[in-house]
Amino acid sequence: MVAIIEVCKAALAFLPNIELTSFWLIMFTLFFGWKIVAVVPVFILIEGAIYGMNLWWIMYLYIWPLLVLIAWLFRKNDSAFFWAIVSGIFGLCFGALCSIPYIVIGWSSGGFISGLRAGFVWWIAGIPWDFIHCGGNFVLMLVLYVPIRNAMRKIKSSGVIN
């Protein structure tokens, strides 16, 4: 699962904020349930090993598990449109979620208001990229959900993967 995510990340790296990580984490959560608990930490560690552990890596420690939790909570839903909306909203909120460490850093050096300002400024600066992320996540999920779901069902029913 991690290999699929990493290959897709590399293949789409030339497109800013267009990624299949959200798609795959949702799909793997829906089809493999609790096994995703092993995938997310390995994915995050590999990302840190490849790109270096910096502030963005801290964000990954809570952002991707949050997406998996959301997918788990709504796992009974089988609508491509529903998952496209969830994935799009997640992309739109990505920058806001990433601003949390900036709030903490600002708070620790200048107080609560400074922290909120630091996080808010960082988030606002990235909103155009969040819109791209939202649109990319929405379209990719809408287009890929049904064919990948059908393929994963066939693989699972064949007994190749439990």
Side-chain angles (χ1 to χ4, degrees):
M1 289 184 253
V2 173
I4 289 170
I5 294 169
E6 288 297 336
V7 166
C8 289
K9 276 193 68 150
L12 295 176
F14 70 98
L15 297 171
N17 278 25
I18 305 295
E19 47 86 11
L20 283 167
T21 305
S22 302
F23 171 81
W24 284 119
L25 288 176
I26 289 170
M27 296 303 286
F28 292 150
T29 301
L30 296 178
F31 279 87
F32 301 112
W34 65 269
K35 294 175 186 172
I36 194 70
V37 172
V39 172
V40 174
V42 172
F43 166 68
I44 293 168
L45 286 171
I46 288 175
E47 287 289 293
I50 293 171
Y51 302 107
M53 294 178 187
N54 206 324
L55 192 55
W56 67 269
W57 189 80
I58 304 280
M59 299 164 191
Y60 272 31
L61 293 173
Y62 61 89
I63 287 175
W64 297 121
L66 175 63
L67 179 60
V68 166
L69 176 63
I70 292 166
W72 176 257
L73 291 173
F74 295 104
R75 68 188 178 277
K76 303 270 188 221
N77 198 309
D78 197 30
S79 164
F81 190 68
F82 173 82
W83 289 111
I85 289 171
V86 168
S87 192
I89 289 171
F90 183 76
L92 187 61
C93 294
F94 200 86
L97 291 168
C98 287
S99 71
I100 293 170
Y102 292 95
I103 294 169
V104 173
I105 291 167
W107 187 355
S108 69
S109 62
F112 182 69
I113 299 300
S114 292
L116 288 178
R117 282 188 190 132
F120 183 74
V121 168
W122 193 88
W123 172 55
I124 293 298
I127 283 181
W129 298 108
D130 291 337
F131 282 119
I132 293 169
H133 197 177
C134 171
N137 278 9
F138 181 86
V139 169
L140 287 169
M141 183 63 77
L142 198 58
V143 169
L144 295 175
Y145 179 80
V146 171
I148 297 298
R149 178 196 63 195
N150 292 343
M152 290 175 82
R153 282 182 178 165
K154 281 183 184 176
I155 292 168
K156 202 169 183 183
S157 69
S158 73
V160 172
I161 298 175
N162 294 333

